[in-house]
Amino acid sequence: MSTVKTFYLPDLGEGLPDATIVEWFVKEGDVIRLDAPLVSMETAKAVVEVPSPYSGKVVKLAGKAGDVINTGAALVEVALDAALPQRADAQDTGHHHGPPPAAHTSPSLPKGAGEPAPNGVGVVASDDGGVIKSGEPAPRSDSGTVVGAMEASDRVVSEQAVSVGGIKAMPAVRALAKKLGVDLSRVTASGAGDVLTMNDVKDAAAKGTTKAGASVTQSVSAAPSSTVAGAPLQGAQSSSRPPASNGPVSSAPAGNSLPTGAGNAQRTALSASGQPMRTAPPGAQPVFGQPEQLKGVRRNMARVMADAHAKVVPTTLCDDADLHAWQSGNDITVRLVRALVRACKTVPALNAWFDGENLTRTLHAHVDVGIAVDTEDGLFVPALRNADVLDAGGLRLAINRLRDTVRNRSIPAEELKGYTISLSNFGVFAGRYATPVVVPPCVAIVAAGKLRFELVPVMGGVETHRLMPLSLTFDHRAATGGEAAKFLKAMLDDLALSL
């Protein structure tokens, strides 16, 4: 009987958590040879062709085109063919063919949560996101929950029931309820001290009457038309009631909501102020379209923006550059890059990287500008290398090359990282000022808004000048307000020159 090997998706970039399947080059049942093209995967940076690490028959594919596969997750299973060449186990291929290490877990779960314990080691995750891992084999197996017993060394540490919203349950019980979709507020507790147990949750799930968000209309129809027994509806009315415009349907006191524990209180179609109440919850309104999972560039963009928001202390300065002295034929983007370079030389503090964890700052003698390029797939920021030594013609050629390689998705991953400062020229579309996002480890980003003509007072009268709005966002941990203001002033002075 042939040996079946599982190939786990390797890290196709530097720490990228997942990749999207673009195209399979094989199908189940095909025979593939070592290093033959297996699948093309789209990461946040590029489309990568992944070769086969084995020779043999394809037994199972992990997904179809468009599916997102987590780094370290199973990608394909291959039944090895002894008659075909195989790579030695000790041969370094750059791939991780074995099972994913403990660090590679689903990004949506705490590390170790919801996964079998490796080598019998107990892995526990609380509903607060904490993770406890013992160094010894677990003395007992998981009893069907998603977290198992809380274990430390060779003994079980007792968990305490926590009361949340008046519901007493252990973290493991809450996690199981979340997994099964059970609303704990509808489950009857059988444990001592009104504590919900595992069996309570399992029994409720089996009956199917306590699903979270379900059976609302059933509960209403089972109760009187103006009463919801045991569970108040927030902003929702019984389906048997007439619309709010028909007036109240009950002589009970009007109310906007039910107080806690007032399960038998009556509600009317009018609020306390006499205004009609909403007759359907917001979730019942028509929804156009379907949720779409973010993939590739947009998926990574979402992660990068969230990470930047959490790690940077941003401050933004804005001003207008006066372009009245410009001669015809000036290249706006090239002039922006030139002004950015001059400012970096004048105030090196903003042409830097900052490590917030170790509180270290790296000043750069060279200027590599990250040029924001907007595409239908999402935002790319390729690095314009050595902008400080290029003339106007060299800058234009470099910018064109970067934009072309981004648009045809042929740009190497190395050119999408390592820039020292960023530039966004969003004004080609619309908008005057902005608060652009600083992406660590960079310290600053400059954004140029839409050019406009404006009346400007001058000696002896008023003139119409062409102005360019500029917004400078900087990490205030790494640079002072004075440094940022001097940086912006250096850009304004350079842009005001006649070239």
Side-chain angles (χ1 to χ4, degrees), residues 144-146 172-184 187 197-212 214:
T145 71
V146 295
V173 174
R174 295 183 187 278
L176 177 62
K178 185 176 181 180
K179 176 183 178 183
L180 300 179
V182 172
D183 184 352
L184 290 180
V187 180
T197 66
M198 291 286 188
N199 289 334
D200 294 338
V201 174
K202 292 177 182 178
D203 292 341
K207 294 177 182 177
T209 58
T210 57
K211 292 289 185 182

Side-chain angles (χ1 to χ4, degrees), residues 65 124 138 189 192 221 373 396 405 420 436 454:
V124 181
S221 61
V373 179
R396 173 43 57 190
T405 54
T420 62
E454 192 169 291

Side-chain angles (χ1 to χ4, degrees), residues 263-276:
N264 295 322
Q266 292 181 334
R267 303 180 64 194
T268 73
L270 296 181
S271 68
S273 61
Q275 298 299 318

Side-chain angles (χ1 to χ4, degrees), residues 145-231:
T145 71
V146 295
V147 293
M150 182 175 289
E151 294 157 6
S153 185
D154 59 350
R155 62 190 180 90
V156 177
V157 180
S158 61
E159 298 176 270
Q160 298 295 321
V162 180
S163 178
V164 179
I167 302 170
K168 294 181 181 180
M170 293 183 180
V173 174
R174 295 183 187 278
L176 177 62
K178 185 176 181 180
K179 176 183 178 183
L180 300 179
V182 172
D183 184 352
L184 290 180
S185 65
R186 302 184 184 184
V187 180
T188 302
S190 64
D194 293 329
V195 174
L196 290 171
T197 66
M198 291 286 188
N199 289 334
D200 294 338
V201 174
K202 292 177 182 178
D203 292 341
K207 294 177 182 177
T209 58
T210 57
K211 292 289 185 182
S215 302
V216 172
T217 55
Q218 296 176 4
S219 300
V220 173
S221 61
S225 61
S226 59
T227 304
V228 180

Side-chain angles (χ1 to χ4, degrees), residues 102-403:
H104 289 296
T105 60
S106 170
S108 60
L109 295 173
K111 187 185 295 182
E115 297 184 0
N119 302 322
V121 177
V123 179
V124 181
S126 73
D127 57 347
D128 295 325
V131 178
I132 300 175
K133 294 169 60 176
S134 73
E136 301 293 333
R140 64 183 176 90
S141 61
D142 187 358
S143 58
T145 71
V146 295
V147 293
M150 182 175 289
E151 294 157 6
S153 185
D154 59 350
R155 62 190 180 90
V156 177
V157 180
S158 61
E159 298 176 270
Q160 298 295 321
V162 180
S163 178
V164 179
I167 302 170
K168 294 181 181 180
M170 293 183 180
V173 174
R174 295 183 187 278
L176 177 62
K178 185 176 181 180
K179 176 183 178 183
L180 300 179
V182 172
D183 184 352
L184 290 180
S185 65
R186 302 184 184 184
V187 180
T188 302
S190 64
D194 293 329
V195 174
L196 290 171
T197 66
M198 291 286 188
N199 289 334
D200 294 338
V201 174
K202 292 177 182 178
D203 292 341
K207 294 177 182 177
T209 58
T210 57
K211 292 289 185 182
S215 302
V216 172
T217 55
Q218 296 176 4
S219 300
V220 173
S221 61
S225 61
S226 59
T227 304
V228 180
L233 294 177
Q234 298 181 0
Q237 301 294 329
S238 167
S239 59
S240 62
R241 292 180 184 169
S245 59
N246 289 341
V249 296
S250 171
S251 60
N256 210 352
S257 62
L258 289 175
T260 303
N264 295 322
Q266 292 181 334
R267 303 180 64 194
T268 73
L270 296 181
S271 68
S273 61
Q275 298 299 318
M277 294 175 63
R278 185 188 296 122
T279 58
Q285 302 303 320
V287 177
F288 300 97
Q290 296 296 325
E292 178 184 355
Q293 186 179 48
L294 295 181
K295 299 174 183 177
V297 179
R298 288 190 181 275
R299 188 179 183 88
N300 187 67
M301 182 179 70
R303 292 196 189 98
V304 170
M305 294 299 104
D307 183 70
H309 180 74
K311 293 182 177 179
V312 173
V313 181
T315 303
T316 301
L317 295 179
C318 301
D319 209 332
D320 293 320
D322 192 328
L323 313 184
H324 185 65
W326 281 23
Q327 302 298 318
S328 60
N330 269 269
D331 187 318
I332 294 176
T333 303
V334 168
R335 286 295 305 267
L336 276 170
V337 173
R338 169 196 151 102
L340 190 67
V341 168
R342 292 290 178 90
C344 288
K345 297 299 183 181
T346 304
V347 188
L350 273 71
N351 184 45
W353 289 344
F354 182 72
D355 183 344
E357 293 185 2
N358 299 312
L359 296 181
T360 59
R361 186 179 66 166
T362 303
L363 302 182
H364 300 287
H366 63 285
V367 182
D368 289 351
V369 183
I371 304 290
V373 179
D374 185 69
T375 72
E376 292 183 356
D377 295 327
L379 181 67
F380 287 79
V381 186
L384 174 58
R385 306 290 184 193
N386 302 311
D388 52 317
V389 298
L390 296 176
D391 60 11
L395 287 174
R396 173 43 57 190
L397 289 175
I399 292 170
N400 290 343
R401 181 185 64 82
L402 290 176
R403 287 181 173 167

Side-chain angles (χ1 to χ4, degrees), residues 38-128:
L38 175 66
V39 62
S40 61
M41 305 290 296
E42 180 183 24
T43 70
K45 298 181 177 180
V47 176
V48 180
E49 190 174 278
V50 180
S52 174
Y54 310 116
S55 293
K57 181 180 179 181
V58 177
V59 176
K60 182 180 180 181
L61 303 179
K64 59 183 183 299
D67 287 351
V68 176
I69 305 296
N70 292 328
T71 299
L75 184 62
V76 65
E77 293 181 5
V78 178
L80 301 186
D81 189 335
L84 297 177
Q86 302 291 347
R87 181 173 288 112
D89 290 339
Q91 186 175 351
D92 183 11
T93 64
H95 298 304
H96 302 287
H97 300 163
H104 289 296
T105 60
S106 170
S108 60
L109 295 173
K111 187 185 295 182
E115 297 184 0
N119 302 322
V121 177
V123 179
V124 181
S126 73
D127 57 347
D128 295 325

